[in-house]
C-alpha cells in the first residue's frame, strides 16, 4: 500500500519543484559561463542572477503559502527546510558564476564541468522528487542516489584541490579553490534536501 498523504500535488510541492528546476536552469547557465570568453561573462552572470532572484521569490512565495494555507502536504518545518536548502544551493551556484567573472577566468579544469554534471543530475532528480512528496514510497531511491552523487562530488573535490595545489601558483590556486568550494557546497545542499526527504520518509513510515 502506497504511503500517500494527499491525492493530488498541492501548490507547495509545485513551488518546491520549481525551485529545483531553477537550480537545473542555473547549472546550464553556469556551464555556459565556464565555456565562454571573458567578454561574455557579464551577460551570463546577469542571467544567473535572474535565476537566483526567481529562486528567492519562489522561496518567499512558499513561506506565504504555508502561512495562509489551512492544510499543508507536509509539516511546515519540513517544507521550510527543503525550501531553504534549495535556495541556499542556488545562492552558491550564483556565487560560483560571479567569482568566475570577478576573477576573469577564461578556463577552468575539467573537474569543474564534472561537478556541474553532478549538480545537474542532482537537480533533475530533485525536480521530480519535490513533485512526488505526497507519495513517499517512491522516494527512497531518490534519497539514496542523491547521497551517492554527493559522495562522488566530495571525492572529485578532494582530487581537484590536490591537483590545483600541485599545479598552480598561490594566487591562482586561491581563486580556483574559491570556485571549487562553492560547487561542492552546492552538492552538499542538495544532499541536505535528500536527507530531509529521508527524515520525512522515516517519520511518516
Amino acid at each position: 500500500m502506497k504511503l500517500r498523504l494527499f491525492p493530488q500535488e498541492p501548490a507547495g510541492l509545485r513551488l518546491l519543484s520549481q525551485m529545483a528546476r531553477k537550480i537545473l536552469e542555473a547549472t546550464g547557465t553556469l556551464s555556459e559561463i565556464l565555456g565562454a570568453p571573458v567578454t561574455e561573462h557579464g551577460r551570463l552572470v546577469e542571467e544567473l542572477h535572474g535565476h537566483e532572484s526567481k529562486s528567492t521569490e519562489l522561496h518567499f512565495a512558499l513561506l506565504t503559502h504555508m502561512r495562509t494555507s489551512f492544510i499543508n502536504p507536509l509539516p511546515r518545518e519540513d517544507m521550510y527546510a527543503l525550501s531553504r536548502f534549495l535556495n541556499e544551493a542556488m545562492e552558491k551556484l550564483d556565487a560560483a558564476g560571479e567569482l568566475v567573472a570577478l576573477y576573469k577566468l577564461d578556463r577552468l579544469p575539467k573537474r569543474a564541468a564534472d561537478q556541474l554534471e553532478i549538480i545537474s543530475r542532482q537537480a533533475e532528480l530533485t525536480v521530480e522528487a519535490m513533485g512526488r512528496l505526497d507519495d513517499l514510497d517512491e522516494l527512497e531511491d531518490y534519497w539514496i542516489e542523491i547521497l551517492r552523487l554527493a559522495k562522488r562530488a566530495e571525492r572529485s573535490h578532494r582530487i581537484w584541490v590536490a591537483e590545483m595545489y600541485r599545479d598552480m601558483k598561490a594566487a591562482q590556486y586561491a581563486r580556483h579553490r574559491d570556485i571549487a568550494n562553492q560547487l561542492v557546497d552546492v552538492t552538499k545542499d542538495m544532499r541536505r534536501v535528500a536527507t530531509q526527504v529521508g527524515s520525512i520518509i522515516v517519520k511518516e513510515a
Side-chain angles (χ1 to χ4, degrees):
M1 179 177 176
K2 289 188 175 182
L3 178 59
R4 183 177 292 276
L5 301 182
F6 288 83
Q8 295 182 341
E9 176 190 341
L13 302 190
R14 287 196 297 272
L15 288 167
L16 288 170
S17 186
Q18 288 169 23
M19 290 183 72
R21 187 167 296 282
K22 278 291 152 192
I23 292 173
L24 185 59
E25 292 171 4
T27 303
T29 302
L30 185 49
S31 295
E32 288 187 60
I33 291 172
L34 297 186
V38 171
T39 54
E40 292 293 309
H41 284 175
R43 174 183 64 82
L44 290 167
V45 167
E46 283 306 310
E47 182 178 320
L48 194 58
H49 289 340
H51 294 312
E52 192 275 332
S53 294
K54 182 60 177 178
S55 174
T56 300
E57 289 174 12
L58 291 167
H59 176 59
F60 286 117
L62 180 63
L63 298 185
T64 300
H65 173 74
M66 288 191 296
R67 287 198 306 270
T68 58
S69 297
F70 179 69
I71 296 176
N72 287 290
L74 296 169
R76 284 179 170 85
E77 60 270 23
D78 287 320
M79 293 186 70
Y80 172 74
L82 292 169
S83 182
R84 180 167 64 88
F85 295 147
L86 288 168
N87 198 47
E88 288 175 358
M90 172 62 81
E91 289 173 352
K92 293 179 178 81
L93 267 179
D94 186 48
E98 189 167 40
L99 285 170
V100 172
L102 289 171
Y103 292 153
K104 300 185 185 302
L105 300 176
D106 59 358
R107 191 174 173 188
L108 272 82
K110 183 181 179 298
R111 293 206 179 270
D114 291 343
Q115 294 292 65
L116 283 179
E117 181 184 347
I118 292 171
I119 294 168
S120 180
R121 182 57 183 153
Q122 286 180 318
E124 287 175 353
L125 292 168
T126 304
V127 169
E128 184 179 356
M130 292 300 98
R132 294 192 290 125
L133 283 170
D134 60 343
D135 190 1
L136 298 177
D137 283 349
E138 298 296 319
L139 290 178
E140 190 169 343
D141 288 345
Y142 155 76
W143 176 19
I144 294 169
E145 180 62 10
I146 292 291
L147 296 184
R148 186 190 70 79
L149 288 165
K151 289 179 181 179
R152 179 181 149 197
E154 289 175 12
R155 285 195 298 270
S156 180
H157 176 74
R158 289 191 292 270
I159 296 168
W160 185 7
V161 169
E163 290 172 344
M164 289 188 293
Y165 185 78
R166 182 191 65 210
D167 299 335
M168 294 179 180
K169 294 181 179 179
Q172 185 185 23
Y173 168 79
R175 291 193 293 268
H176 284 253
R177 177 79 187 255
D178 282 348
I179 295 162
N181 287 348
Q182 291 291 342
L183 292 178
V184 77
D185 284 347
V186 175
T187 71
K188 291 177 181 178
D189 282 333
M190 300 304 285
R191 178 175 181 162
R192 290 185 183 103
V193 173
T195 300
Q196 192 72 30
V197 170
S199 174
I200 295 167
I201 291 171
V202 170
K203 286 188 293 186
E204 298 294 335

